[in-house]
């Protein structure tokens, strides 16, 4: 029997294990002023297993912390990142970085990685990860946007959706919502399950 194991590391950083082929999402393994995990790491950077690949939804420090992640020893690990931000990973030595836009596909060994739309304070993508008959949706920090309505046509069977729902708002900008709240996330679940 094939298995799917998902381990929360911290914030949007999650390890998705497709029976030995593992994808790390949005690596964030350090803290600085104003940015605290508020939880212990599910897995520390030193204890990460060998990765089949890394996906990055957008360029914010708490999702794409290459200063810390440069300690990861395999510099050829495939990385998929939002178009326009590969340089940050290349600068610290990662050599196999692919920039993606929505609906583009790449592969981490047996894992099919398809970018999906996303919207946040900066350009963002989300990801559909597929292997061994499992489909996992990684929602990064996206807001609930109309472009996500296209997901169920392209991916009718999603087994797990990982969605941010802290409802972050930036108050000086007139309460502009930056991340979905729980109600938005429930609505997105309804959309992608075409209920
Ligand atoms: Zn962000």
């Amino acid at each position: 029997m094939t298995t799917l194991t998902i381990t929360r590391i911290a914030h949007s950083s999650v390890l998705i294990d497709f029976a030995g082929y593992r994808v790390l999402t949005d690596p964030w393994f350090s803290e600085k002023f104003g940015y605290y995990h508020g939880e212990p790491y599910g897995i520390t950077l030193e204890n990460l297993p060998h990765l089949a690949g890394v996906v990055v939804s957008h360029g914010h420090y708490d999702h794409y912390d290459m200063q810390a992640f440069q300690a990861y020893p395999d510099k050829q690990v495939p990385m998929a990142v939002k178009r326009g931000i590969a340089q940050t990973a290349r600068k610290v030595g990662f050599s196999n970085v692919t920039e993606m836009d929505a609906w583009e596909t790449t592969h981490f060994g047996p894992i099919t990685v398809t970018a999906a739309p996303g919207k946040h304070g900066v350009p963002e993508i989300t990801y559909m990860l597929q292997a061994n008959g499992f489909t996992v949706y990684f929602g990064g920090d996206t807001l609930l946007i109309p472009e996500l309505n296209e997901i169920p046509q392209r991916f009718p069977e999603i087994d797990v959706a990982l969605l941010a729902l802290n409802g972050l708002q930036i108050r000086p900008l007139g309460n502009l919502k930056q991340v979905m709240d729980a109600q938005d996330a429930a609505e997105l679940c309804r959309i992608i399950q075409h209920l």
Side-chain angles (χ1 to χ4, degrees), residues 9-27:
I9 294 178
H11 193 47
S12 279
S13 199
V14 171
L15 188 73
I16 304 166
D17 185 339
F18 295 93
Y21 291 92
R22 303 174 188 97
V23 177
L24 176 68
T25 67
D26 285 5

Side-chain angles (χ1 to χ4, degrees), residues 58 60 62-63 120 122 124 141:
H58 65 292
H60 281 159
D62 54 340
H63 294 255
H120 183 48
V122 294
E124 156 145 19
D141 261 356

